Amino acid sequence: MKTKAFTALITAALIGGFGNTLLASNPQDPWLFLSLRFLIAGIIVTWWIPQFKTLNRKLILASILEVASVITLVLALSTINVALATIVGALTPILSLLINKLTNHQPVTIKILIPITLGLTATILIATTNPPTPNTTTGTILIIASTILGLTGSTLNGWYGSHTSPWTRTALTNIIGAIALTPILIINLTDTQATHPTWNMIIPALLVAILSGIISKSLNLYALNTLPIPVVMQSSTLSLVTAVTTAAIFLNQPITVNTILGIIIGTLSIITLIWVMKNKKLN
């Protein structure tokens, strides 16, 4: 098993899950928060800009697609409930398995389907804890588009990023996000009727920028250099379990029987995935 890559993946999932809790703690204005998060991360990573000459067009496209995925997700969440968004997002390991089969002719085996199925089950249990709010057709289309955009970006990174530093690719994604979303921040600052950033928003945005936007993202890309794409996608289950657990501890979010079952099954899916990777092969 690629120990360093898998350690990086687990660490990225844990940090990303905690970052999601910070994001949930600041629901005032998602667009303003997102623009702040990208701007802060973009400023921090500017010293990586000289390394951009090592990037090829496919990796630049990957970063654009990943930013587009985030923007589309925020658009979708204004018209659908989080449960549907979470469940659709949990389908990415299955979709990546199909891509692997079609492009690399790798067979889909029971050995890898077990942790993926457990992860999907855990996600459904956790996501459906609260009564769902109505979804719209537009929102459903947007969340599917967001999932496809994100998966395509990750797949391109997995295929073409092995000879480029993960930190450089992370820097590019954050700078593209900052360029795309900074106009929202400018509009908010100049419009007296709009929500203005406060320290209660800036500090969580700073933490999310560093933890999720830079550290977790870079570790995830490092893992993509070595591990199969479906395995990396499966780490979203651990992020969800971490987010739910830390939200219960720090935000006093209620814990239900479904949530507990989801945490247990989600943890079991990661343990099973580790076992599969340790005993190698996925096919």
Side-chain angles (χ1 to χ4, degrees):
M1 184 173 68
K2 309 287 187 180
T3 307
K4 286 184 179 179
F6 209 84
T7 301
L9 181 65
I10 297 296
T11 306
L14 291 170
I15 294 173
F18 183 65
N20 289 338
T21 300
L22 287 170
L23 185 58
S25 70
N26 218 289
Q28 304 169 42
D29 186 328
W31 286 109
L32 180 57
F33 188 92
L34 190 64
S35 62
L36 273 173
R37 165 254 185 270
F38 269 113
L39 178 62
I40 293 169
I43 292 171
I44 293 173
V45 300
T46 50
W47 66 286
W48 272 293
I49 289 177
Q51 301 301 318
F52 285 180
K53 60 187 177 184
T54 64
L55 296 168
N56 59 47
R57 291 179 181 179
K58 294 183 178 69
L59 294 177
I60 294 171
L61 176 61
S63 289
I64 293 171
L65 291 174
E66 288 176 347
V67 172
S69 172
V70 174
I71 292 172
T72 310
L73 174 62
V74 176
L75 281 171
L77 288 176
S78 64
T79 56
I80 64 170
N81 64 68
V82 177
L84 177 62
T86 306
I87 292 169
V88 172
L91 295 174
T92 51
I94 297 173
L95 294 174
S96 61
L97 274 179
L98 293 175
I99 291 173
N100 260 7
K101 182 173 176 58
L102 292 172
T103 57
N104 300 325
H105 306 292
Q106 292 183 358
V108 178
T109 63
I110 294 294
K111 197 160 32 172
I112 188 60
L113 279 177
I114 290 173
I116 287 177
T117 303
L118 287 172
L120 182 58
T121 303
T123 300
I124 292 172
L125 283 169
I126 293 171
T128 55
T129 296
N130 298 315
T133 54
N135 296 304
T136 67
T137 303
T138 302
T140 304
I141 292 171
L142 284 171
I143 195 61
I144 292 171
S146 172
T147 302
I148 293 172
L149 287 168
L151 177 59
T152 306
S154 295
T155 301
L156 288 173
N157 267 310
W159 286 350
Y160 302 109
S162 59
H163 300 297
T164 307
S165 164
W167 299 100
T168 303
R169 284 177 279 153
T170 296
L172 177 65
T173 301
N174 281 301
I175 287 174
I176 290 173
I179 293 170
L181 291 164
T182 296
I184 294 174
L185 180 59
I186 294 171
I187 291 169
N188 277 72
L189 290 173
T190 55
D191 185 352
T192 55
Q193 303 299 318
T195 304
H196 288 187
T198 64
W199 285 112
N200 287 338
M201 182 184 289
I202 293 171
I203 292 174
L206 172 64
L207 291 173
V208 171
I210 294 172
L211 294 176
S212 298
I214 298 176
I215 298 175
S216 177
K217 177 66 177 173
S218 297
L219 290 173
N220 193 272
L221 288 174
Y222 172 78
L224 267 174
N225 286 353
T226 308
L227 300 174
I229 296 171
V231 171
V232 177
M233 296 296 101
Q234 182 60 23
S235 67
S236 61
T237 301
L238 181 57
S239 289
L240 180 60
V241 168
T242 304
V244 170
T245 305
T246 52
I249 295 171
F250 297 110
L251 303 180
N252 295 318
Q253 294 286 342
I255 291 287
T256 66
V257 174
N258 272 16
T259 307
I260 294 171
L261 284 173
I263 291 172
I264 293 171
I265 295 173
T267 304
L268 182 61
S269 78
I270 298 301
I271 293 171
T272 308
L273 184 64
I274 293 173
W275 180 83
V276 169
M277 291 300 297
K278 190 174 182 178
N279 291 278
K280 210 60 176 160
K281 299 181 178 179
L282 301 181
N283 50 348

